[in-house]
Amino acid sequence: MRHLVLVLGDQLDEAASAFDDFDTAQDAVWMAEVAEESTHVWSSQPRTALFLAAMRAFAQSLRERGWPLHYQHLDDAQAAPSLAEALARDIRALQPQTLVMTAPGDWRVLQALRGVAKDLGLPLDLRDDRHFFATVREFAAHTKGRKQLRMEYFYREQRARHRVLLDEAGEPLGGQWNFDAENREAFGPQGPGLVPPAPRFAPDARTAGVLALVRDRFAAHPGQLDDFAWPVTRAQALQALDDFIEHRLPQFGLWQDAMWPGEPFLWHSLLASSLNLKLITPREVVAKAEAAHRAGHVPLAAAEGFIRQILGWREYVRGIYWTQMPDYAERNALDAQAELPAWYWTGEVGMACLRDAIGQTLRHGYAHHIQRLMVTGLYALLLGVRPQRVHEWYLAVYVDAVEWVELPNTLGMSQFADGTLPDGRPAPFGAMASKPYIASGQYIQRMSGGAACQGCRFKPAKRTGPDACPYTTLYWDFLLRHEARFAKHPRLALQVKNLARMDEAERKVIRLQAEAWKAGGSGL
C-alpha cells in the first residue's frame, strides 16, 4: 500500500485535499468509530449519533465509488477504544508507506495521530484544509504586528479578497460593510408569528441502526434521540441549504437575536452541523446567499448578517484556535473557579429561560447563538464557572460542536477568558471579544418579548429579595467582583459607573444573595 488516507468524522468531503492523488490501485481510505470521541467529554446522544450516522453514510458513498476502505465500527467485536490505538493496529496490519490526511479540526486529535506516525516511523503528509476561505498561514499574516485583533477587520479583508457583496467598483453593497445595527429586532408580546418549519430528514435504516446503537451504548449520556432529523449526507445538507435560502434567510436578519420559548429554530439556518462535518462548503453557502440577495429575494441586511457569520466569524475563530493553541484552552482571564451546576446536564432548573434553552439543547442537540451566548453562556459567566468546564459542556451537547469552532466561541466570546497578555497579565480586550457579554435578566425578557420569563417566579427587574432574578443579582455581583478591572474599560466603564449609586449595605446584600445562587439554593 502506498498511501493510507485518514478521514476523521468531521472530514466527510470527497473533494478534500487528502484525496487529491488518490489511486484505487495502491491507496486505501481509513476511518474509525471509537468510544473515546464520545467519552473524552460526556458527548450527548444527538451529537454522537450525528457523527456516526454521517460517517457511515460517507463510507457507503466511498464504497459505491469503488474506493478501498478500512472502517472500524464502534460495535465491532475487537474495536479499539481510541483513534490512536485503532490506527496503530491497522498500520501494522496494512503496512502503508505513507499516511495522508487533511489537517484536522482538533488539536488533541492531531497530536495523537502525529504521535502514532512518529512511534511507527511513518511519514505523515498533512495537507491544507481547502474547505475554508483562508488558510491558517493567511490568518497568521493578518494578525502579525496588530496590538488588537478584531473580527471585523479580518471580515472586511475576506470580503474584498473574495469579492463578496461588492459593487463593480469594489465597494461594499449598500455603502457599508456591516448591517448589524439593523439585525437586532426583538419579538413583541405577540411573538414571532408563523415560523417556517425546519426541514427534517427522517432516519433511514442505516441511521436508525446508529440511533439504536447510541441508545444502548451511551444510555447514561445526556440528551435523547426521539426527534433526531439532522442531515447526514451531502444531498440532505444541500436540500437544507436550499430550504434556508428560500424560506428563512429573508427574515433571518431582523430576528437573528430574538428568542421565543418553545421555538428552537425560528429563522436560523441549521447549517452549522453540515458545514462542520464538511458535507457542504462555506463557498457554496456564501454564493447562494449572495445570489439570493442579488436576485431580489433576500434583503441586503439579512444576506450580509448571515454571510458575516460564515465568511467572518467562522473563519476568524478557526484562525484564533490554530494560532493560539494549545495554551489557549487553559486561559482563565477572570480567574473563574466555580463548578458547572449539575442541572446544565438535565435542564431541571427553576429559571424558565434556562429550563427552556437547556431542555431544547438536550432534545435537539441545538440552540441558536443568542441562546448559547446570552442564556446558558451568560449564566455561567456571571456565576464565575471555570471556563474549561463550560467549554466541555458546549463541546458535549451540541451536534455542530467541533473544537476548533466551539472552543474560541465558548472560552473567548462567551466567557471572556482569553483576555490576557502573552505574559499572563490582564488585557483590556480578548482575542474574540472586546468586552465580556454581560447583562441582567431584563435583556432576556426584552429579547423574548417577555415570553421567556412567563411563569417564572423570578422578576428580571429585581436584584435583591426572594423573587430577584438570579441573572440580575449575579450581573451586579459580577460588576462588583471586577470593578477595578473594568472601571476604565472603553466599553464597560458606563456599566461599572452605575455601582456608584449603591451604598455598602446594598452591595453586601447583593454579594450574599449571589453566594446563595452560587451554592445552588433557593429553587435552582
Side-chain angles (χ1 to χ4, degrees):
M1 182 183 296
R2 182 185 66 153
H3 293 163
L4 185 61
V5 178
L6 315 183
V7 175
L8 302 175
D10 62 340
Q11 296 181 325
L12 309 181
D13 176 10
E14 292 183 10
S17 59
F19 296 128
D20 278 356
D21 55 351
F22 191 84
D23 182 347
T24 57
Q26 55 182 339
D27 302 330
V29 180
W30 180 87
M31 299 177 69
E33 304 170 3
V34 297
E36 182 183 52
E37 295 309 297
S38 292
T39 57
H40 77 96
V41 294
W42 200 27
S43 186
S44 71
Q45 293 185 34
R47 180 174 184 263
T48 293
L50 177 60
F51 274 79
L52 296 185
M55 287 174 68
R56 293 188 180 188
F58 186 75
Q60 182 59 33
S61 71
L62 295 181
R63 293 188 188 101
E64 291 171 356
R65 294 181 65 174
W67 288 21
L69 172 66
H70 297 273
Y71 191 102
Q72 172 181 287
H73 290 81
L74 187 68
D75 48 350
D76 286 346
Q78 302 299 320
S82 70
L83 287 171
E85 291 171 86
L87 180 59
R89 178 199 62 196
D90 290 344
I91 287 173
R92 294 186 181 100
L94 300 171
Q95 294 293 305
Q97 297 172 18
T98 301
L99 302 177
V100 176
M101 71 180 303
T102 298
D106 187 311
W107 178 273
R108 170 188 58 89
V109 169
L110 175 59
Q111 302 316 306
L113 298 182
R114 273 180 166 163
V116 172
K118 181 179 180 181
D119 290 346
L120 297 181
L122 270 183
L124 173 59
D125 180 2
L126 194 67
R127 300 178 179 177
D128 282 345
D129 191 343
R130 292 194 301 258
H131 172 84
F132 296 94
F133 281 94
T135 66
V136 175
R137 294 183 300 278
E138 288 166 343
F139 180 83
H142 165 82
T143 66
K144 190 173 182 179
R146 293 178 185 267
K147 294 182 179 179
Q148 180 184 347
L149 299 181
R150 279 293 158 264
M151 187 281 293
E152 181 68 23
Y153 305 139
F154 176 71
Y155 165 60
R156 294 181 185 188
E157 285 185 7
Q158 291 287 88
R159 284 265 302 273
R161 178 184 175 195
H162 296 283
R163 299 201 58 80
V164 174
L165 292 178
L166 302 182
D167 60 23
E168 292 182 357
E171 296 298 319
L173 293 183
Q176 60 191 68
W177 292 99
N178 187 313
F179 289 85
D180 193 43
E182 298 180 27
N183 291 340
R184 297 174 181 170
E185 293 297 316
F187 299 132
Q190 75 281 358
L194 186 63
V195 178
R200 294 179 56 83
F201 301 92
D204 60 9
R206 181 180 54 240
T207 298
V210 167
L211 300 182
L213 170 65
V214 171
R215 285 190 179 101
D216 178 61
R217 181 70 178 269
F218 301 105
H221 284 228
Q224 55 97 350
L225 297 171
D226 294 346
D227 296 298
F228 187 91
W230 292 101
V232 299
T233 67
R234 174 164 169 77
Q236 290 175 342
L238 288 171
Q239 184 180 336
L241 170 58
D242 288 341
D243 183 273
F244 169 64
I245 297 294
E246 176 64 26
H247 299 295
R248 298 194 304 287
L249 180 55
Q251 295 296 316
F252 166 78
L254 281 177
W255 311 116
Q256 63 175 304
D257 285 1
M259 298 177 281
W260 195 262
E263 288 285 356
F265 306 129
L266 295 167
W267 283 272
H268 292 269
S269 75
L270 312 181
L271 296 175
S273 63
S274 295
L275 278 163
N276 295 348
L277 292 172
K278 313 295 175 58
L279 298 177
I280 52 176
T281 73
R283 285 177 177 79
E284 58 197 349
V285 171
V286 167
K288 287 200 172 190
E290 180 174 15
H293 165 66
R294 292 186 183 274
H297 178 62
V298 174
L300 178 57
E304 187 278 319
F306 175 66
I307 287 172
R308 185 169 3 108
Q309 292 187 3
I310 307 300
L311 186 58
W313 271 115
R314 192 169 182 271
E315 300 280 326
Y316 185 81
V317 297
R318 177 175 179 256
I320 292 292
Y321 180 84
W322 283 110
T323 57
Q324 304 202 27
M325 283 292 281
D327 68 291
Y328 188 85
E330 297 305 317
R331 293 189 190 176
N332 189 354
L334 299 180
D335 193 29
Q337 300 296 339
E339 288 300 315
L340 187 74
W343 45 257
Y344 266 78
W345 299 101
T346 66
E348 297 172 359
V349 60
M351 284 173 283
C353 58
L354 272 166
R355 188 168 59 246
D356 182 70
I358 295 175
Q360 162 195 314
T361 293
L362 297 174
R363 179 179 176 184
H364 298 289
Y366 171 83
H368 63 71
H369 66 277
I370 290 298
Q371 291 174 308
R372 298 189 201 195
L373 179 65
M374 300 305 295
V375 181
T376 55
L378 172 61
Y379 194 79
L381 172 64
L382 297 178
L383 197 66
V385 175
R386 183 169 176 79
Q388 286 69 32
R389 302 293 86 79
V390 187
H391 152 59
E392 290 164 1
W393 184 78
Y394 277 90
L395 186 60
V397 298
Y398 290 114
V399 296
D400 52 41
V402 180
E403 191 175 84
W404 67 265
V405 66
E406 175 277 325
L407 177 61
N409 271 307
T410 301
L411 202 78
M413 185 73 173
S414 172
Q415 301 302 299
F416 199 70
D418 64 357
T420 51
L421 298 170
D423 62 5
R425 289 180 296 122
F429 307 113
M432 285 294 298
S434 59
K435 72 179 184 71
Y437 279 83
I438 58 170
S440 71
Q442 289 173 296
Y443 172 87
I444 295 172
Q445 183 182 48
R446 181 172 67 255
M447 295 309 294
S448 67
C453 303
Q454 287 182 0
C456 188
R457 74 178 186 87
F458 300 112
K459 308 302 180 187
K462 298 191 68 174
R463 59 194 183 197
T464 58
D467 58 350
C469 177
Y471 279 97
T472 304
T473 303
L474 291 168
Y475 165 80
W476 290 103
D477 179 68
F478 180 95
L479 291 176
L480 288 170
R481 294 200 315 271
H482 301 291
E483 184 173 9
R485 176 177 182 136
F486 295 115
K488 296 182 179 179
H489 191 281
R491 296 194 64 195
L492 213 61
L494 284 177
Q495 289 169 275
V496 174
K497 281 183 179 179
N498 289 326
L499 293 173
R501 302 180 220 163
M502 278 188 201
D503 59 26
E504 189 55 40
E506 186 171 12
R507 288 174 178 238
K508 183 176 180 180
V509 171
I510 287 172
R511 290 192 182 101
L512 288 172
Q513 187 148 352
E515 289 304 315
W517 297 141
K518 293 172 189 178
S522 302
L524 297 188

